[in-house]
Amino acid sequence: MNRFSELPLSQALQQQLARANFITPTPVQAAAIPPALEGRDVLATAQTGTGKTLSFLIPLFERMPKDAKGATALVLLPTRELAMQVLEAWRQLTGSQRGAAIVCGGLAEGPQLEAIRRGVRLIVATPGRLEDYLSRQLVDLSGVKILVLDEVDRMLDMGFKPSIRRIAAALPAARQTLCYSATLSPEIREVAKDYLKNPARVEIGSVLKPSPNVELQTFEVPADKKQELLEHLLGTQPGSFLVFVRTKHGADRVARRLARSGHAATCIHGDRSQSQRNAALRSFAQGRHRVLVATDVAARGIDVPEVAHVVNFDMPKEAEDFVHRVGRTGRASSHGIASTFAVPDETQTLRKMERRLAITTKKYRVRATSAGQARTA
């Protein structure tokens, strides 16, 4: 399949795809949409930024009964930001947000419940809030015909496995299930075995390897020189910067120091309110802030197409996290740079990560005198 127009879709959806300028499917869309349209379960693994959202929304739109009174499709995903992006993609696909409701923490209950009461066909939800609504009998999932588990690897990382199990138990056994993950760990295989029946298997590229469009570099740097090195990169490299730190307090501290130095920086983490997180994402995407400082969990839902430079200010804990972080740049055919800051006692961890991912990063060592004097090791 080279064009969406080749798919057996309704005329209304074909017109909307053309209107939204969706012409050529990405590899994951080309592979996952046909079996999903046939009603098959799908297990898809692909890197972040490959177009997974549209690959499940198109089959949802086509296969949901048009005359149903309540929800017939459910998308479960790990974060509010990701839920809101799926809702925005639904709006692009259908021309309206009518017929869909978001269910997640950090947003007022009233509008969510009112949308459900109006009889939406699609619910996009995080597991914790949806399970809460189920326990209080505020939502009825007995009519759901299609379940999507999106970013299921991250949902498991965040401890949502019991919630997913309880939500799935409230759904009809006779349903279609589409499962999307960046990795295929033993835990993901277990989920697939529990919820999928004879799934079509879609694997796009190596799910544990950064995009070849991303230039990888590592700086061995003393901990007290990281901030200075970051500001040096900002002064010498063009474009937007997405900076990953390990903790919420660390994100606040790095963003404050950057702002004091005259850089347009904002941050996103779990302690910020939903309106603050939305504002930070919007201002970064629109270029009003050049730098977004983020923690891993908060950044999972970030989908900004033009990130020039990812900086691992703190080393990621797992190789998978490295791939997720780096995957925020170098999307589609664009070029990106990913810089990792490693303090001297983290070099062994870095080497293990490189072996695990079968990659080599270009190494620099930062002299203790000035972060601006980086030289090749």
Side-chain angles (χ1 to χ4, degrees), residues 97 105 177 200 236 244 288 358 366:
Q97 276 190 4
T177 304
T236 56
F244 286 97
R288 292 197 302 275
V366 177

Side-chain angles (χ1 to χ4, degrees), residues 82-161:
L82 197 56
M84 294 169 83
Q85 285 165 27
V86 168
L87 211 60
E88 173 58 22
W90 176 260
R91 185 197 65 74
Q92 286 184 290
L93 189 64
T94 65
S96 168
Q97 276 190 4
R98 280 193 315 239
I102 191 169
V103 171
C104 61
L107 298 174
E109 279 192 8
Q112 297 181 42
L113 295 172
E114 179 58 32
I116 292 168
R117 277 193 289 268
R118 283 200 306 268
V120 295
R121 292 187 296 142
L122 170 65
I123 293 177
V124 182
T126 52
R129 175 57 65 91
L130 182 60
E131 189 183 17
D132 173 50
Y133 285 2
L134 274 174
S135 67
R136 292 154 58 194
Q137 299 185 324
L138 297 173
V139 62
D140 178 14
L141 301 179
S142 62
V144 169
K145 307 291 185 194
I146 309 171
L147 169 65
V148 177
L149 300 172
D150 189 22
E151 305 266 11
V152 69
D153 49 339
R154 182 56 59 170
M155 285 198 285
L156 298 183
D157 287 346
M158 294 168 69
F160 284 134
K161 188 175 182 180

Side-chain angles (χ1 to χ4, degrees), residues 4 22 75 135 173 181 194 207 232 251 275 278 318 331 334 347:
F4 283 114
F22 293 131
V75 178
S135 67
S181 175
D194 288 344
V207 296
H232 168 71
S275 61
N278 292 346
E318 306 288 343
R331 294 190 168 204
S334 61
T347 53

